[in-house]
Amino acid sequence: MRRSTDDVAWFTEALLGYLDIRFYEPYSQVVDLSRGIAWPEWCVDGKMNIVHNCLDKYMGTEVEDRLALISEAEDGSVCKHTYRDLWRQVNQAANALRSLGIKKGDAVGIYMPMTCEISAAMLAIAKIGGIILPLFSGYGPGAIASRLADLRAKALFTADGFVRRGQVVNMKEVVDEAAEILPELEHIIILRQTDLSINRIPGRDHWWHEIVSTQADIAETEVTAAEDVLMVIYTSGTS
């Protein structure tokens, strides 16, 4: 305990090894504190991608057949993904984003119910080197718009709606209102979850089952710097 406080670099390197965090290019220094303790630079010169460590490295091993994810909906229906299932869906979602021109450094919002697909969307953004922008499913149009505008998000994953306590919540309607003041939001990918009739704008709005599920399930993982931005998280207010 004392050494972990006195020698942060030693502790961090030990943790990276224990967790088997792999780098495409090794770091030259675990942490650089030359600008002061409040501005550390971690894994200096290191190149990696968190998706390689979450999924890619397990392909071809016994882990790929293990259960990675379980999602249970309000109606009792259950989605189960092995590591390989999730890896394939992440690759499809990554290919969908790239087909829309979304690239490394672009911010992509996620405004979805808690489904298996939300995990695939999140990891797909990281896989292409994008910036993940999670949005609480209870946000109104203003809260969504302000956060998407702050990062100049180019795309958004959402759903037509979802069921909460027996009531259908229309998510796409909220997104449409937010999108009216977001000229830089070019694409919206919609997961079909309900029988709601929704408004779709040609060229901007895409069904998940048409643009994601039809993609190839092999995709290149973007090489990113260890200090590249992965995710920007905004408070929902309660914190």
Side-chain angles (χ1 to χ4, degrees):
M1 285 291 293
R2 184 166 54 253
R3 188 176 178 187
S4 71
T5 303
D6 296 340
D7 192 348
V8 174
W10 165 82
F11 175 76
T12 302
E13 190 157 41
L15 192 62
L16 290 170
Y18 176 74
L19 295 173
D20 188 29
I21 302 300
R22 302 179 189 179
F23 288 76
Y24 298 124
E25 296 180 23
Y27 49 84
S28 59
Q29 187 178 355
V30 179
V31 60
D32 178 2
L33 300 175
S34 60
R35 292 193 300 153
I37 198 169
W39 295 276
E41 182 182 352
W42 295 96
C43 299
V44 181
D45 301 319
K47 298 291 191 297
M48 53 93 76
N49 190 302
I50 199 64
V51 174
H52 178 82
N53 289 281
C54 291
L55 294 173
D56 296 357
K57 71 181 183 184
Y58 296 126
M59 296 304 105
T61 75
E62 62 178 18
V63 176
E64 71 176 9
D65 294 320
R66 293 182 189 169
L67 197 60
L69 182 65
I70 304 173
S71 173
E72 182 175 349
E74 186 168 306
D75 63 5
S77 59
V78 176
C79 162
K80 294 183 179 181
H81 278 346
T82 64
Y83 278 84
R84 185 165 186 83
D85 294 334
L86 184 57
W87 177 76
R88 285 173 168 167
Q89 192 171 68
V90 168
N91 288 341
Q92 289 181 314
N95 286 330
L97 289 172
R98 284 172 170 150
S99 74
L100 297 174
I102 309 301
K103 60 187 185 303
K104 181 178 180 179
D106 289 340
V108 181
I110 302 178
Y111 178 65
M112 296 177 71
M114 297 300 285
T115 64
C116 280
E117 289 85 358
I118 194 174
S119 297
M122 180 186 75
L123 291 168
I125 298 165
K127 190 178 182 79
I128 69 168
I131 300 172
I132 304 162
L133 175 53
L135 299 163
F136 171 48
S137 60
Y139 278 162
I144 293 172
S146 63
R147 287 156 176 79
L148 291 174
D150 195 28
L151 285 187
R152 298 181 178 179
K154 291 188 176 181
L156 173 70
F157 284 101
T158 190
D160 55 346
F162 67 100
V163 178
R164 176 184 288 164
R165 297 179 182 176
Q167 301 296 315
V168 177
V169 178
N170 190 323
M171 300 189 85
K172 181 58 165 55
E173 190 175 71
V174 177
V175 167
D176 285 341
E177 187 174 340
E180 289 180 3
I181 55 173
L182 294 170
E184 293 182 272
L185 183 63
E186 300 172 1
H187 298 286
I188 299 173
I189 298 175
I190 312 154
L191 179 67
R192 170 67 84 183
Q193 288 287 96
T194 70
D195 294 325
L196 285 170
S197 177
I198 63 170
N199 178 50
R200 287 179 61 213
I201 297 178
R204 187 197 71 177
D205 296 346
H206 317 271
W207 284 119
W208 178 289
H209 60 269
E210 292 178 350
I211 197 167
V212 175
S213 300
T214 56
Q215 297 285 340
D217 62 3
I218 300 292
E220 180 182 353
T221 302
E222 189 71 35
V223 176
T224 57
E227 279 277 355
D228 282 350
V229 178
L230 172 72
M231 185 186 303
V232 175
I233 306 175
Y234 296 78
T235 175
S236 59
T238 55
S239 53

